[in-house]
Amino acid sequence: MQAHEIMIRQVYKVKEYDLVRDVVEKFIKYQISGLPIVNDRNEIVAYISDGDIMRFIGKHKDLVINNFYYMAVLKGDYDKFDERASKLLESNVMDIAKRKVITVAWNEEVENVAALLGEKHIKKLPVERHGVLVGIISRGDVIRNVFKEKNKDNLC
């Protein structure tokens, strides 16, 4: 079984010039916790998760992400949680996103996808073909597809 056989083809994503506000709106609307960030050619350039947002709205002294101090990104000393959160919403997604994105090829074997999800402790993997985003695979997608035929009569 290959990645393209189990991947979700309708991928929610944001563009590299979008704001964190756009990300949060999609997180809430679609009940998701991470999004690939693409350029105008639909190439994956970064990934943003709810964990990235938590790192910025939490109170830190010397947090560095993507070689920027979070205070430099937020442009000021915001002691109040609400002020930090509000300022973050107006920041560019690339200011806090992870630029080193782990992806899988569309024809990768599912057992390799499962190993990567487990070893790297990540929840979702963007799937690409010829450098372009074509899908996404979560841990749940792997479990559902691997075990549905093997044990469909024995599982709840």
Side-chain angles (χ1 to χ4, degrees):
M1 187 181 319
Q2 295 183 332
H4 67 89
E5 297 175 74
I6 68 167
M7 71 183 188
I8 303 299
R9 286 173 167 72
Q10 181 184 356
V11 182
Y12 302 115
K13 59 191 172 190
V14 291
K15 297 283 189 167
E16 61 188 336
Y17 45 78
D18 284 341
L19 299 177
V20 174
R21 173 179 305 284
D22 302 314
V23 171
V24 172
E25 287 172 358
K26 287 186 179 188
F27 282 2
I28 293 167
K29 181 176 181 179
Y30 300 116
Q31 298 181 7
I32 56 176
S33 60
L35 291 165
I37 301 171
V38 298
N39 61 20
D40 288 332
R41 294 179 303 279
N42 208 39
E43 298 166 329
I44 304 163
V45 297
Y47 193 89
I48 188 165
S49 70
D50 54 359
D52 299 319
I53 292 171
M54 292 301 106
R55 279 190 285 282
F56 275 84
I57 61 174
K59 194 169 187 175
H60 303 281
K61 287 187 178 183
D62 295 319
L63 178 66
V64 178
I65 296 181
N66 291 336
N67 297 321
F68 294 105
Y69 283 94
Y70 87 104
M71 294 311 288
V73 172
L74 297 180
K75 297 177 179 61
D77 185 17
Y78 296 94
D79 290 329
K80 295 183 180 171
F81 180 79
D82 290 342
E83 290 177 22
R84 287 194 310 275
S86 293
K87 188 67 177 176
L88 181 62
L89 288 175
E90 302 310 318
S91 299
N92 179 277
V93 295
M94 296 301 288
D95 289 339
I96 66 168
K98 288 182 180 68
R99 295 171 191 250
K100 292 183 180 179
V101 183
I102 300 170
T103 64
V104 293
W106 70 281
N107 59 349
E108 187 65 62
E109 294 296 324
V110 171
E111 65 185 292
N112 295 332
V113 173
L116 194 55
L117 286 164
E119 290 168 10
K120 298 294 183 179
H121 304 285
I122 51 181
K123 298 176 187 174
K124 298 176 186 174
L125 282 170
V127 181
E128 59 184 355
R129 184 174 187 180
H130 306 297
V132 174
L133 177 67
V134 294
I136 198 154
I137 297 177
S138 71
R139 293 175 182 179
D141 297 328
V142 173
I143 290 169
R144 275 188 297 280
N145 284 280
V146 168
F147 293 106
K148 75 177 176 187
E149 289 303 317
K150 294 186 184 327
N151 294 310
K152 67 180 172 182
D153 294 330
N154 297 330
L155 297 176
C156 300

